């Protein structure tokens, strides 16, 4: 598959790209058995204000474009090819963001070792390097309330997230969202790398060289400028397209 050539599938692009994120997280070791979730706005033909999410019980490496479940913001399952339903905790978190943020097309939530480790630190993510600096003053935090089964928590999740695109769920894990599936995925990959690096740095026992607020802010603005420039020019998302090519090469059935 050559660069900038889209995936060819008979299924809607929303399903294809979401399925790719599941396969990629599984390959990169960022899944958690059958738990955690990624959701994306469903095609308009599948329901108003509906979103796609994984069937409960499937491993991430078993998710494909055709078996994703369509659910509305009230929790009503609209389309469930395998009849497995969805995880209630996943619905709580994802429905909250989709209902409150019409700008968001995709929401990702992970429980990785590094992500949970940093989420369990009082100071959270520190501006230590080029991976973490772009999140300076742009990372939300939400306090742990137990397994996310209480629908009343949705309002607090939304309030804490605000207009940001990344959040640490304290003592729990990571959450990112994006205007596209690719943006949410790339943000999660960057946040995960930042957490992995911080855990590795702390593990050395050496003195941490924390960036100044001024330098961290400068780096964050540089990152934002690069993203805005690409969006303004309508350039293809080269990194996400590279990930899609990788997914197709390694998991040729993901888009079926």
């Amino acid at each position: 598959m050559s660069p900038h050539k889209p995936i060819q599938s008979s299924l809607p692009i929303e399903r294809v790209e979401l399925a790719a994120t599941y396969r990629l997280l599984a390959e990169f070791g960022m899944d958690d058995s059958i738990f955690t979730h990624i959701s994306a706005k469903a095609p308009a033909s599948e329901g108003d204000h509906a979103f796609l999410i994984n069937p409960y019980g499937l491993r991430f490496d078993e998710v494909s474009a055709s078996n994703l479940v369509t659910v509305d913001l009230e929790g009503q399952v609209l389309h469930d090819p395998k009849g497995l339903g969805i995880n209630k905790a996943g619905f709580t978190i994802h429905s909250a963001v989709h209902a409150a943020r019409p700008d968001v097309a995709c929401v990702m939530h992970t429980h990785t070792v590094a992500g949970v480790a940093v989420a369990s630190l009082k100071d959270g993510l520190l501006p230590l390097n080029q991976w973490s600096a772009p999140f300076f003053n742009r990372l939300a935090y939400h306090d742990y309330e137990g397994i996310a089964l209480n629908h009343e928590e949705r309002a607090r999740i939304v309030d804490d997230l605000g207009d940001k695109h990344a959040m640490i769920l304290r003592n729990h894990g990571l959450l990112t969202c994006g205007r596209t599936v690719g943006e949410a995925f790339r943000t999660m990959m960057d946040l995960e790398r930042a957490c992995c690096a911080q855990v590795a740095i702390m593990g050395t026992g050496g003195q941490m060289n924390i960036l100044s607020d001024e330098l961290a802010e400068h780096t964050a603005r540089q990152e934002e400028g690069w993203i805005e420039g690409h969006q303004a020019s309508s350039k293809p998302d080269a990194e996400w397209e590279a990930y899609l090519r990788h997914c197709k090469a390694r998991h040729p059935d993901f888009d079926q």
Side-chain angles (χ1 to χ4, degrees), residues 4-119:
H4 309 315
K5 183 179 179 180
I7 298 289
Q8 300 296 316
S9 174
S10 61
L11 295 170
I13 189 64
E14 295 91 342
R15 285 181 166 273
V16 170
E17 292 198 344
L18 182 58
T21 65
Y22 278 100
R23 296 298 184 96
L24 290 167
L25 286 199
E27 180 176 343
F28 298 153
M30 293 170 64
D31 54 346
D32 181 13
S33 183
I34 62 171
F35 306 103
T36 73
H37 317 274
I38 317 166
S39 64
K41 283 184 178 180
S45 61
E46 296 190 32
D48 294 333
H49 309 295
F51 61 93
L52 304 168
I53 198 165
N54 53 321
Y56 186 55
L58 293 190
R59 301 187 313 270
F60 278 22
D61 64 342
E62 296 176 304
V63 174
S64 66
S66 62
N67 65 33
L68 289 161
V69 178
T70 311
V71 61
D72 67 18
L73 296 177
E74 302 304 318
Q76 179 180 353
V77 173
L78 305 178
H79 181 57
D80 185 1
K82 285 192 168 292
L84 296 174
I86 63 172
N87 183 290
K88 292 181 179 179
F91 171 77
T92 299
I93 294 172
H94 290 258
S95 64
V97 179
H98 283 291
R101 294 280 300 273
D103 62 308
V104 167
C106 179
V107 181
M108 303 189 69
H109 171 47
T110 61
H111 301 160
T112 62
V113 173
V116 173
V118 173

